[in-house]
Amino acid sequence: MNAPATAQLPVIVIGAGPTGLAAAAHLVERGIEPLVLEAGPAAGAAVREWSHVRLFSTWGEVVDPAAEKLLAPTGWTRPDPGSYPSGGDWAERYLQPLADALGERVRTGARVTGVSRAGRDRIVDAEREQQPFVVHVTRTDGREERLFARAVIDASGTWTTPGPAGAGGLPALGERAAADHVTYRVPDLKDPAVRARYAGRRTAVIGSGASAFTALAYLADLAKADDGTGTKAVWILRRGLSGSTFGGGEADQLPARGALGLAAKAAVDEGYADAVTGFRTEAIERDGERLVLVAEDGRRLDAVDEVIVLTGFRPDLSFLSEIRLGLDERLQAPVALAPLIDPNQHSCGTVYPHGHRELAHPEPGVYLVGMKSYGRAPTFLAMTGYEQVRSVVAAIAGDLEAADRVELTLPETGVCGGAGLFDAPDAAETEGGCCAPAPQLVQFGAPATVGAAADEAPAGGCCGS
């Protein structure tokens, strides 16, 4: 089968999440036909998996302008821009209506397994840029198909590839074998079966970002409930405690993000969680039906019943192996973007707005956008993704003036540390200046003043919110 003329082809968008659907809306606005391929059974499939978690961004910050224009003729009403949606709200009240408005341009149950140039693997130079892209897709019933595209926008996110408990980026010894007692998601404690799994139990929470804050706050709420007596969390941090451990607090321009950190601090202050600092997990060992975490230095913690691993996410690049990507060796983000989002230097709000030039690769016509564009950096905000696709689509349309224009100002403050980030303690935390924080168990005494109750404080990491 010969490849059709490139100019007649659609732009294929991988992923029907917030950024992917926004890309499709911008393409439609530009008169370019999109084809959105979603591996899950419905739009926003990944968001639906954390439907119980409340975002710390308001409705006004998570609706794309081009998408809103596309939705307007359908009678869609934008939710109160000052209120905070849950993941379920976001999916049902925005993402699904947007997918419905796009109609047959969105295909669900379509998993992308490979992207290449038609007739050209990554080695071949000859007439490479004249060839359309070919995208291999596997449907849920096992059927395989080959689709052609003029450009490819990969907005598939990172949800399916969470980081492991192991401090070195690899699973800890025994982590896979303990899979029946390990989860990589914030648990939905309103689900009776999930609640029973953690009620009255001792749970280790590994991670230092907003997702870990959320889990700690949820477990503290459970401990306070009549059916949660004896519930205890052990918070495992690879670094020491500092002024930035709990985020920006009241100084955060996203107030709900600051409140989330304060809720986690309250969980520790009130004795519902112990914080173990300077602990780098090397192994997870069985002790009957319980688990024992072992650090790289040989220290062993008291046994726990469950482990919640919230150490960030990483991009799945496997289906892009025949595409020429230019990725930073550390973050796995586009080379030009990486220094702008390096979490060792930036929080969510200090990332400079960026567009098609920072997202470009040696393979023209391919863009990684949304959370996937950030690689392993945890500092992504939904409004960043919307600005990315606005610029990228303008570039695909040939409108470089619009593509180069910056149309976004991000809220400042807020610390979004993830796995392995901020491992070096603040100068005040160590005598040697270059030493790792001394391992210790920390329990705070005086209760903290929390800006919002844990069940009211919108949650969720910078990622996807």
Side-chain angles (χ1 to χ4, degrees):
M1 176 180 176
N2 294 326
T6 302
Q8 302 171 1
L9 297 172
V11 172
I12 285 184
V13 179
I14 306 174
T19 307
L21 291 175
H26 282 274
L27 287 163
V28 169
E29 188 175 53
R30 289 275 182 177
I32 301 172
E33 193 65 16
L35 176 58
V36 183
L37 302 175
E38 167 60 47
V47 174
R48 294 173 192 273
E49 291 193 26
W50 49 271
S51 61
H52 58 291
V53 177
R54 193 166 298 280
L55 280 71
F56 54 57
S57 295
T58 64
W59 270 114
E61 296 159 338
V62 297
V63 173
D64 176 78
E68 187 168 10
K69 290 179 184 177
L70 188 63
L71 283 165
T74 70
W76 180 80
T77 301
R78 184 177 187 169
D80 175 7
S83 63
Y84 296 90
S86 66
D89 295 334
W90 203 14
E92 290 299 330
R93 301 178 64 187
Y94 170 64
L95 299 179
Q96 190 59 56
L98 180 53
D100 292 341
L102 289 163
E104 294 183 355
R105 299 182 179 104
V106 178
R107 296 184 189 176
T108 58
R111 181 176 300 279
V112 173
T113 58
V115 180
S116 184
R117 290 280 189 177
R120 307 290 189 276
D121 63 22
R122 68 183 297 156
I123 298 175
V124 178
D125 290 333
E127 300 181 346
R128 183 178 189 85
E129 294 184 16
Q130 285 70 52
Q131 303 304 311
F133 292 97
V134 59
V135 178
H136 284 216
V137 179
T138 300
R139 306 304 296 264
T140 52
D141 61 4
R143 287 183 295 119
E144 295 181 317
E145 57 185 322
R146 183 174 62 166
L147 304 171
F148 293 97
R150 61 186 286 188
V152 175
I153 299 176
D154 182 358
S156 59
T158 58
W159 178 252
T160 60
T161 47
L170 300 174
L173 298 178
E175 182 172 345
R176 292 190 180 95
D180 55 335
H181 290 285
V182 179
T183 185
Y184 301 86
R185 308 286 187 252
V186 175
D188 181 2
L189 297 183
K190 292 182 180 180
D191 181 316
V194 176
R195 192 175 183 86
R197 176 174 175 176
Y198 296 95
R201 307 268 181 127
R202 180 178 169 88
T203 299
V205 177
I206 304 176
S208 59
S211 293
F213 294 168
T214 305
L216 290 168
Y218 284 7
L219 290 170
D221 275 351
L222 177 58
K224 298 172 189 177
D226 292 340
D227 63 341
T229 302
T231 302
K232 183 77 172 184
V234 182
W235 187 19
I236 311 298
L237 297 103
R238 294 169 181 169
R239 56 188 171 100
L241 289 171
S242 71
S244 65
T245 297
F246 297 98
E250 295 179 359
D252 199 320
Q253 288 189 16
L254 289 178
R257 182 173 60 191
L260 178 61
L262 294 176
K265 185 175 188 299
V268 177
D269 287 347
E270 295 169 4
Y272 297 112
D274 296 332
V276 180
T277 62
F279 192 95
R280 297 172 179 272
T281 307
E282 181 176 78
I284 299 177
E285 297 180 356
R286 289 275 189 179
D287 180 9
E289 290 299 313
R290 309 188 81 196
L291 302 175
V292 174
L293 273 60
V294 183
E296 290 178 344
D297 60 8
R299 287 177 303 120
R300 304 165 67 87
L301 298 183
D302 291 340
V304 297
D305 300 288
E306 301 288 337
V307 177
I308 302 173
V309 181
L310 300 167
T311 55
F313 295 85
R314 54 191 58 179
D316 176 8
L317 302 169
S318 61
F319 60 85
L320 300 174
S321 61
E322 297 306 317
I323 293 296
R324 297 174 177 179
L325 300 178
L327 298 175
D328 178 74
E329 62 185 11
R330 293 179 304 142
L331 295 184
Q332 293 179 301
V335 170
L337 176 60
L340 304 180
I341 63 172
D342 185 347
N344 293 293
Q345 304 294 328
H346 297 281
S347 73
C348 298
T350 62
V351 173
Y352 185 79
H354 51 274
H356 74 110
R357 296 194 186 279
E358 292 83 1
L359 296 168
H361 292 277
E363 191 83 67
V366 170
Y367 299 93
L368 276 58
V369 299
M371 285 183 62
K372 191 165 186 175
S373 71
Y374 272 44
R376 299 193 181 201
T379 46
F380 179 78
L381 290 170
M383 61 185 81
T384 303
Y386 296 158
E387 173 65 5
Q388 287 179 340
V389 296
R390 183 203 62 78
S391 174
V392 163
V393 169
I396 291 173
D399 186 355
L400 293 184
E401 180 181 354
D404 289 335
R405 191 165 56 239
V406 173
E407 299 183 359
L408 174 67
T409 301
L410 292 171
E412 296 180 358
T413 316
V415 176
C416 305
L421 308 177
F422 312 104
D423 279 345
D426 292 344
E429 294 179 315
T430 177
E431 297 177 358
C434 61
C435 301
Q440 55 184 309
L441 173 66
V442 182
Q443 288 181 288
F444 296 87
T449 300
V450 183
D455 60 346
E456 296 174 350
C462 291
C463 304
S465 60

